[in-house]
Amino acid sequence: MGALSHLRIVEIGSAAATSYCARLFADFGADVQKVEPPDGDPLRRTAPLTPKDQSAWFAFLNFNKSSVVLDTCDAGAASRLRELIAGCDILLDGRGIAAADCPEIDLDAIRRDHPGLIHLDLAWFGDCGPYANFAATDSTIRALTGLVKLVGPEQGPPMHAPDFQTGILGGLWGFIAAASSVLGRMHDGRGRENHLSLFEASIAVTEYIMFEAFQRGDIMRRIGVNRFWPTFPVGIYETKQGWLGVTTVTPAQWRAFCEMLGLNELRDDPTLVMGVDRLRHVAEIEAKILPKLKQRTAQEWFAEGLKRKIPIVPVPEVADLIADEEKRARGAIVPITMGDETGFSAGTMQRLTATPPLRGGRVPDLGEQQARREAAPRVPAPKPAATDRLPLEGIRVVDFSMGWAGPICTRTLADLGADVIKIEATQYPDWWRGVDRRPAYVLEQMYEKSVRYCIMNRNKRGITLDLTRSKGLELAKRLLADADLVVDNYSVEVLPKLGLGYDVLSKINPKLVMMSMSAFGAGSVHRDCRAYGSTLEQGSGLPSVVGDPDGPPVMSHTAFGDAVGGVNGAAAVLTALIHAKLTGQGQFIDLAQIECMMPFAAPWIVAHSTSGEPPTKYGNRHPDFVPHGCFRCAGEDNWIVVAVSDDAMWPKLARLLGREDWAADAALKTAAGRRAIEGEIEAAITAWTAARDADAAMTALQSAGVASGVARLPIDLLEDPQLHARGFIQQVDRAFIGRHPQPSMPFRESDAPFAIRSVPPTLGEHNSEILGGMLGLSDAELDELTREGIIGTEMLMEEQLVKEKKRAAG
């Protein structure tokens, strides 16, 4: 029986984010009733289309649901909708994006009668602030969040991926909001109302470089296709056959990459040791590595890189994903049915092993009710209590994760009230504190001054334990014996080798949920591959549909996969925790972060699986919207994304451009008609925007009702008026770094975001509080553990680490 089979969901309005959120519930057995107008959800007509004109995007978003048609002309429609909502657990409300002729409802009255109702609504920018009434599209949102300007040729225009990213990110955050509310209701019986901003949801992908800019200053610029600050080479390169994704971050990886290519002169050049140094010599390095890479195939280089522990991966076409037997076996690629067409789609990436998601399903025809499999009875909630309790209060998390992907997962849980205990070691602290072990770095405690570590680890408590020593291992097991969840994002073999595998921990604590967040999955044949967030995007299929029609695969963001993996991880553990609270049964979650990136390529997976045709690459144009692109503005490297997202918007743009003739031309009233003169329209927009400051152009366009967004740099977000108006940027004062900004979660229960209740922990800050207060160790025992180096509050220098290793070996 599905982990969420006891839940009833109603989805209203038309928004990709609510549709994806609802589908995640449906995949785990929830009954989802999708409310549509008589002509169907507008997303049913979104490109790309299958050979029988079914929307591949709609298909991905909606299999395993039922469809309910309500006609506002029908006097009984509003009553029927009230009845549906009154009988559900969760209302997913996309009317803030498009109402789709949804009947009027009195939600306040429904909530009075059903105080346990969980309601999620969403809007492009939220309900207040200077952008609140802006027209928007996926691409204008990504421009404003800093996800466009750093991608593409150095001289421009910036490139951006097709229009499906905010729907995925918003859907994941919506699921987190709704699922955490389910857990909260299981304790206090109270329904919750969450408001989600798609603008803020997309910042999860860019917040790392946004806050790196806070610390390092305005130094990031677009430096070319598949080139990204702060290291090089990180990109996609042509081989003898196929394309290869390469990431070199550490000096050891750079040396191994050079040795693999037989370029020892680059390996031994002292001016090229660090990635920031290599960025100064891009043309010189590429002149040597590109010819070498063309001597062997992508698969051959992949095999060689595996031996040398280099993060490289073949860049698949969409057809390669569909044909991948392992992805089918794991459920990353699943069969779906649309009418009388069959094909494949990206599945659900939250790989719960005891209560796995459904493997594919049927996309409902308009008005089709699907038979429910093993429907579970609804679970009665406690009588609602008047409380300000956070939804995850009472849940304890032991956090072994480091860097970005794991910590953003556990930070999300901590923000929602979970007690997250972060475990590091003085020998090996979180690598986002820094990996420099030279005396000056350690003695000046630079490892406590990393802003990127701080933004990922607020609202947590932190201890140190040397897990390689028996005393440290036993203390970890004692913590885990009373925990609800343990998370790690190490290589798959690390915790099992230490004696902390799920086979051991499940015997200590049967209700424990354990999630491994590895790059390729614990069961994958590629489980030992090294990977970064860039590697995950390179291997996801997304780059093959980004860029110009005759151009190379294009990466859209240097570490896209880390944030996406972390948000998927939070969704996965919430599902497992709901099941564990109901049944007392814990389970293992085998999250493959590379699979978490595949939904961004999902529409092309569906379309190609039905047609066999390779995906069309549009560059900065769009299959449905004409015009659509990134246009130069006045000043140096200033750009704006402009999108006519419906035909009613076209005459408004035409008049703004001074082309009343275009506004009145019947032949241009549809996107298909405008396609014939698309180049001419783009030239007119460029002439208009080039004479204007980017923000002034956006103000004029938005005042006319035209979707647009300035292509921001990540540093610009620190002063963004919308984020400041909504309090999204919170200020935190922490030891060693002082006052610094922190991002909020993109959804909120009230006018204010969830609060930052405690600052990020210093190394071992809570050793006494947790090991003494929770586990009962005496001061003398804590002192002994400190003398033995099992706990501590100071990072070890290299020579200290070497001595300790020798002591352990001897």
Side-chain angles (χ1 to χ4, degrees):
M1 186 171 289
L4 306 178
S5 294
H6 62 290
L7 295 175
R8 310 295 189 263
I9 318 292
V10 171
E11 175 194 340
I12 62 175
S14 176
T18 46
S19 286
Y20 188 51
C21 175
R23 208 212 84 189
L24 293 173
F25 278 101
D27 284 343
F28 285 97
D31 174 40
V32 176
Q33 299 290 326
K34 179 181 181 65
V35 176
E36 302 186 73
D39 57 352
D41 184 338
L43 291 175
R44 285 185 180 269
R45 298 177 282 281
T46 302
L49 301 176
T50 69
K52 295 190 178 180
D53 290 333
Q54 302 256 20
S55 167
W57 178 225
F58 180 88
F60 164 73
L61 295 172
N62 289 287
F63 59 85
N64 288 325
K65 302 178 185 178
S66 292
S67 169
V68 177
V69 175
L70 294 180
D71 188 345
T72 52
C73 296
D74 181 348
S79 176
R80 172 64 177 139
L81 182 55
R82 284 195 299 272
E83 182 183 322
L84 281 171
I85 296 172
C88 80
D89 298 282
I90 302 171
L91 174 64
L92 301 177
D93 189 348
R95 293 175 299 166
I97 304 301
D101 293 325
C102 182
E104 288 293 324
I105 47 174
D106 185 345
L107 273 174
D108 289 336
I110 293 174
R111 277 194 291 264
R112 283 195 298 272
D113 293 338
H114 302 279
L117 178 68
I118 294 165
H119 178 214
L120 171 77
D121 65 20
L122 71 152
W124 287 114
F125 296 99
D127 60 359
C128 64
Y131 301 170
N133 295 317
F134 275 16
T137 69
D138 186 290
S139 56
T140 64
I141 289 287
R142 282 184 284 118
L144 285 166
T145 51
L147 292 169
V148 168
K149 194 169 185 178
L150 293 176
V151 179
E154 190 170 357
Q155 298 306 313
M159 286 181 166
H160 48 93
D163 254 9
F164 304 109
Q165 294 189 12
T166 61
I168 303 298
L169 292 167
L172 285 163
W173 280 114
F175 183 88
I176 290 167
S180 63
S181 296
V182 171
L183 279 163
R185 191 178 67 176
M186 293 167 75
H187 284 275
D188 58 30
R190 185 165 63 89
R192 285 172 166 82
E193 186 173 5
N194 283 290
H195 312 282
L196 173 67
S197 159
L198 291 181
F199 175 52
E200 294 168 13
S202 297
I203 290 174
V205 180
T206 196
E207 66 180 16
Y208 153 52
I209 48 178
M210 170 182 171
F211 290 98
E212 282 291 283
F214 165 78
Q215 188 167 40
R216 298 170 183 262
D218 187 11
I219 60 176
M220 289 176 232
R221 292 295 181 271
R222 189 175 59 262
I223 56 177
V225 175
N226 293 320
R227 295 175 183 165
F228 300 91
W229 182 91
T231 191
F232 176 84
V234 174
I236 294 172
Y237 302 97
E238 190 174 9
T239 69
K240 183 177 180 181
Q241 181 181 332
W243 297 86
L244 187 71
V246 175
T247 300
T248 58
V249 174
T250 68
Q253 289 164 356
W254 166 246
R255 290 194 300 270
F257 180 66
C258 292
E259 289 171 0
M260 184 178 76
L261 298 182
L263 294 171
N264 292 349
E265 70 277 15
L266 292 181
R267 177 198 65 187
D268 298 332
D269 188 334
T271 68
L272 303 178
V273 173
M274 302 303 293
V276 290
D277 302 324
R278 298 192 290 274
L279 278 173
R280 300 188 184 98
H281 304 279
V282 167
E284 173 190 339
I285 294 171
E286 283 188 344
K288 294 181 178 179
I289 68 173
L290 296 184
K292 290 284 189 179
L293 287 169
K294 289 180 181 178
Q295 293 176 1
R296 301 176 75 176
T297 69
Q299 289 292 341
E300 289 169 341
W301 285 126
F302 180 50
E304 189 63 34
L306 184 59
K307 299 175 191 173
R308 299 170 183 266
K309 300 182 179 180
I310 307 170
I312 59 179
V313 64
V315 177
E317 300 286 340
V318 168
D320 299 326
L321 297 176
I322 297 170
D324 190 316
E325 292 184 6
E326 179 176 283
K327 287 183 172 54
R328 291 197 194 191
R330 286 178 56 84
I333 296 289
V334 296
I336 61 169
T337 303
M338 306 153 281
D340 58 0
E341 286 182 292
T342 58
F344 290 94
S345 173
T348 291
M349 306 311 162
Q350 290 84 45
R351 195 79 55 236
L352 278 62
T353 55
T355 56
L358 298 172
R359 298 266 180 130
R362 178 173 174 80
V363 181
D365 292 335
L366 189 59
E368 180 183 3
Q369 286 287 306
Q370 299 214 45
R372 300 227 34 235
R373 304 181 208 174
E374 299 183 286
R378 295 180 68 182
V379 176
K383 186 177 179 180
T387 175
D388 291 331
R389 182 183 175 279
L390 289 167
L392 298 187
E393 280 185 31
I395 290 175
R396 178 162 295 155
V397 181
V398 175
D399 181 10
F400 289 110
S401 70
M402 298 186 181
W404 189 357
I408 195 176
C409 166
T410 52
R411 182 192 80 183
T412 300
L413 305 178
D415 286 352
L416 291 166
D419 177 19
V420 177
I421 299 172
K422 182 179 181 69
I423 297 184
E424 303 176 81
T426 59
Q427 298 84 353
Y428 298 104
D430 188 322
W431 55 72
W432 264 22
R433 290 182 182 273
V435 294
D436 191 337
R437 294 185 176 277
R438 290 173 295 184
Y441 188 90
V442 175
L443 293 173
E444 292 178 23
Q445 292 185 284
M446 297 302 294
Y447 55 89
E448 295 291 6
K449 301 175 184 179
S450 166
V451 170
R452 62 180 178 175
Y453 162 81
C454 286
I455 65 169
M456 292 300 159
N457 291 287
R458 63 177 184 233
N459 288 333
K460 303 178 184 179
R461 298 191 287 172
I463 67 171
T464 51
L465 285 177
D466 182 354
L467 299 175
T468 66
R469 313 264 289 281
S470 59
K471 287 184 179 180
L473 184 63
E474 286 307 310
L475 289 170
K477 287 180 177 179
R478 287 177 62 186
L479 280 175
L480 290 161
D482 193 39
D484 298 285
L485 171 68
V486 57
V487 174
D488 85 274
N489 63 338
Y490 301 138
S491 298
V492 295
E493 75 283 353
V494 172
L495 285 185
K497 281 185 177 179
L498 289 170
L500 294 173
Y502 183 67
D503 57 336
V504 174
L505 298 184
S506 61
K507 293 182 176 66
I508 298 172
N509 180 356
K511 71 177 176 63
L512 183 70
V513 173
M514 181 175 189
M515 180 169 68
S516 168
M517 299 176 61
S518 61
F520 291 83
S524 171
V525 295
H526 304 311
R527 57 179 297 190
D528 297 323
C529 294
R530 296 295 190 271
Y532 291 94
S534 50
T535 318
L536 307 175
E537 182 180 1
Q538 290 160 355
S540 70
L542 178 61
S544 71
V545 298
V546 180
D548 294 327
D550 298 321
V554 175
M555 286 176 58
S556 60
H557 187 46
T558 181
F560 197 172
D562 281 308
V564 171
V567 178
N568 271 274
V573 298
L574 289 170
T575 301
L577 287 170
I578 291 170
H579 180 258
K581 290 294 182 185
L582 285 174
T583 66
Q585 177 191 7
Q587 61 182 302
F588 180 72
I589 303 172
D590 176 19
L591 192 89
Q593 291 187 58
I594 197 166
E595 293 173 0
C596 295
M597 285 296 300
M598 288 173 54
F600 295 101
W604 293 276
I605 294 172
V606 176
H608 179 78
S609 72
T610 56
S611 71
E613 297 296 322
T616 301
K617 295 169 69 173
Y618 289 90
N620 283 345
R621 289 181 171 177
H622 193 281
D624 290 327
F625 305 156
V626 181
H628 181 284
C630 193
F631 301 93
R632 188 181 294 276
C633 295
E636 183 181 352
D637 198 36
N638 293 324
W639 304 84
I640 188 169
V641 171
V642 180
V644 171
S645 56
D646 62 57
D647 291 336
M649 199 178 285
W650 164 246
K652 300 172 185 177
L653 174 62
R655 293 187 181 103
L656 192 66
L657 299 176
R659 295 299 301 263
E660 186 65 42
D661 57 328
W662 281 354
D665 190 340
L668 302 181
K669 286 186 176 179
T670 66
R674 296 190 293 274
R675 187 79 72 186
I677 62 164
E678 191 165 15
E680 187 179 346
I681 296 172
E682 290 169 345
I685 297 172
T686 298
W688 187 87
T689 58
R692 289 166 172 79
D693 169 80
D695 279 279
M698 181 172 70
T699 298
L701 286 159
Q702 289 287 354
S703 295
V706 178
S708 54
V710 175
R712 306 276 193 214
L713 286 170
I715 197 170
D716 298 333
L717 297 177
L718 294 169
E719 302 301 328
D720 184 88
Q722 177 69 15
L723 298 181
H724 278 277
R726 284 175 54 77
F728 180 83
I729 305 287
Q730 301 187 51
Q731 296 293 329
V732 171
D733 196 350
R734 179 186 178 272
F736 297 100
I737 62 173
R739 194 168 174 81
H740 67 280
Q742 290 258 356
S744 299
M745 283 197 299
F747 62 89
R748 54 188 66 183
E749 292 185 357
S750 63
D751 293 337
F754 286 93
I756 297 174
R757 306 182 308 281
S758 62
V759 300
T762 56
L763 190 64
E765 178 180 349
H766 300 101
N767 283 345
S768 177
E769 179 179 312
I770 292 171
L771 300 178
M774 280 178 52
L775 298 188
L777 272 65
S778 66
D779 289 345
E781 288 172 312
L782 292 173
D783 289 342
E784 183 179 357
L785 290 171
T786 302
R787 287 193 302 272
E788 294 175 354
I790 292 169
I791 66 173
T793 57
E794 297 177 358
M795 178 178 173
L796 297 191
M797 290 180 280
E798 185 64 35
E799 56 266 35
Q800 293 173 309
L801 189 61
V802 169
K803 285 181 182 177
E804 188 161 298
K805 286 181 178 178
K806 287 181 178 178
R807 182 181 67 179

